[in-house]
Amino acid sequence: MSVTVVPGDMEQVVSDAPAVEGALRTVDVTVPATSANLGPGFDTLGLALSIYDSVTVSAFDDGRLDIAVAGSGAAQIPTTADNLVVRSIAHVYADVGRPMPGLHLRAVNGVPHGRGLGSSGAAVSAGILIAKGLLAGDVELDDHSLLRLATELEGHPDNVAPALFGGLTIAWTGESGPQHKKLLVHRGVAPLVFVPGFTMSTSLARSLQPPQVSREDAVFNVSRSALLVAALTQSPELLLDATADRLHQDYRGAAMPETLRLVQALRAEGFAAVVSGAGPSVLVLADGPGARRRAVDIADAVTDTPWDAHMLAVDVRGGTVEQRAEGST
Ligand code: HSE
């Protein structure tokens, strides 16, 4: 067996860290995994998925920085001021002109690290939401500010928009900065993600794309992206055509041949399979639980690479932030 189905209850890791004595304030934040691009919608479309990072942070009026991380990628994640969640909190405090507080931070990461499921976007979004929770009552951050701050750190808005707001998001950058439109996905769409044991660097993946594309390829992706919005919200039967891409997947395939092979094998069997984000995971937008099971069987038959298969739901809520009541643990 090269494919292992991950039980759904493994996705729901929760930080239950107690509040720390003497804290000014404690907040609990959860942020979903995200799959960007969805085939043709390069740097534009994103989908929130039901795997979560969970972070509890207490703020102090001293300079402490006490960080512990458990779960996916924990061994590689810095527990210093370089930590991406902490850098994101600091970015917000600098933006609003408030001094950075001391922090006690406990994270439990469910989002697979470096696999094209938005782990960096989740860390950035978690930091932005933590800052929102810690600053509430002094500074109020609206959705537009949250997306702007997150995009400044992430570089492109297609992961952070669904991480913050949930559902299917169309993200673009206009004159007033990054914007998003959230849509609800047709309930017949059943996401399935194949996650390999190896990682892929987003900057390497981006460097493999040519600076220019032909008008024919541009038109190809414009038509498929427009169709994909209709397929995901109204007409799932169009998903196979709607997920075709000519802007990034084939160019990046040389750096992740097993990923491209699995995408092609599943598409040849009629499944809407795409590279998730910059890879190396594969996202399948199936049309129900039975179809997901068949996709797992096909993957198992065509690949020797070990893959974890996650049968997921679309997360409709996006990132959450809750302030602990004073005196609670
Ligand atoms: N749109 C981005 C890319 C998502 O494919 O490079 C990964 O961060």
Side-chain angles (χ1 to χ4, degrees):
M1 287 286 286
S2 55
V3 177
T4 306
V5 177
V6 178
D9 57 2
M10 296 293 289
E11 325 290 6
Q12 303 294 335
V13 285
V14 198
S15 160
D16 56 358
V20 185
E21 193 93 353
L24 299 170
R25 186 175 283 186
T26 295
V27 295
D28 295 300
V29 163
T30 63
V31 181
T34 53
S35 186
N37 303 331
L38 309 179
F42 183 69
D43 279 0
T44 302
L45 298 179
L47 190 63
L49 296 169
S50 59
I51 309 179
Y52 300 90
D53 284 353
S54 165
V55 192
T56 298
V57 176
S58 300
F60 293 86
D61 58 6
D62 57 26
R64 79 182 73 181
L65 187 57
D66 180 348
I67 302 174
V69 181
S72 180
Q76 293 90 50
I77 293 172
T79 53
T80 61
D82 284 341
N83 179 281
L84 186 52
V85 177
V86 172
R87 282 200 282 128
S88 306
I89 299 170
H91 183 65
V92 179
Y93 273 80
D95 189 79
V96 301
R98 296 292 186 277
M100 181 76 167
L103 298 175
H104 178 279
L105 183 153
R106 295 291 177 266
V108 183
N109 291 345
V111 179
H113 205 69
R115 304 297 202 284
L117 287 164
S119 56
S120 72
V124 166
S125 300
I128 303 289
L129 290 171
I130 289 163
K132 174 185 163 82
L134 294 178
L135 287 162
D138 174 20
V139 178
E140 302 305 329
L141 295 166
D142 62 13
D143 285 356
H144 186 248
S145 304
L146 297 179
L147 185 60
R148 173 183 62 78
L149 290 158
T151 305
E152 283 167 3
L153 290 157
E154 177 78 347
H156 38 86
D158 50 338
N159 285 109
V160 290
L164 288 167
F165 308 117
L168 166 67
T169 54
I170 305 170
W172 71 100
T173 300
E175 277 177 14
S176 59
Q179 316 258 18
H180 82 285
K181 170 70 185 164
K182 174 179 176 179
L183 298 167
L184 294 182
V185 172
H186 191 285
R187 63 181 179 184
V189 177
L192 163 65
V193 176
F194 292 98
V195 183
F198 53 91
T199 59
M200 177 75 196
S201 137
T202 298
S203 55
L204 170 63
R206 293 178 87 82
S207 73
L208 296 173
Q209 293 173 252
Q212 292 180 324
V213 296
S214 68
R215 184 185 338 202
E216 197 189 357
D217 286 355
V219 170
F220 184 95
N221 268 57
V222 169
S223 64
R224 291 344 184 256
S225 308
L227 183 62
L228 183 50
V229 173
L232 277 170
T233 55
Q234 297 171 14
S235 312
E237 72 280 3
L238 294 172
L239 277 168
L240 182 61
D241 272 358
T243 47
D245 159 69
R246 287 194 192 164
L247 288 191
H248 61 102
Q249 295 184 159
D250 287 350
Y251 296 113
R252 295 168 159 187
M256 43 182 165
E258 300 94 331
T259 296
L260 202 58
R261 261 202 302 279
L262 181 56
V263 167
Q264 287 165 347
L266 288 164
R267 293 189 70 81
E269 295 291 333
F271 288 97
V274 297
V275 178
S276 182
S281 295
V282 172
L283 169 71
V284 181
L285 297 165
D287 62 2
R292 287 201 293 208
R293 193 65 244 175
R294 282 198 304 285
V296 167
D297 290 344
I298 290 165
D300 202 39
V302 301
T303 172
D304 293 328
T305 304
W307 301 87
D308 281 344
H310 298 252
M311 304 211 183
L312 302 174
V314 174
D315 170 278
V316 293
R317 215 160 44 145
T320 63
V321 53
E322 281 173 31
Q323 194 179 318
R324 295 238 181 128
E326 232 167 274
S328 73
T329 56

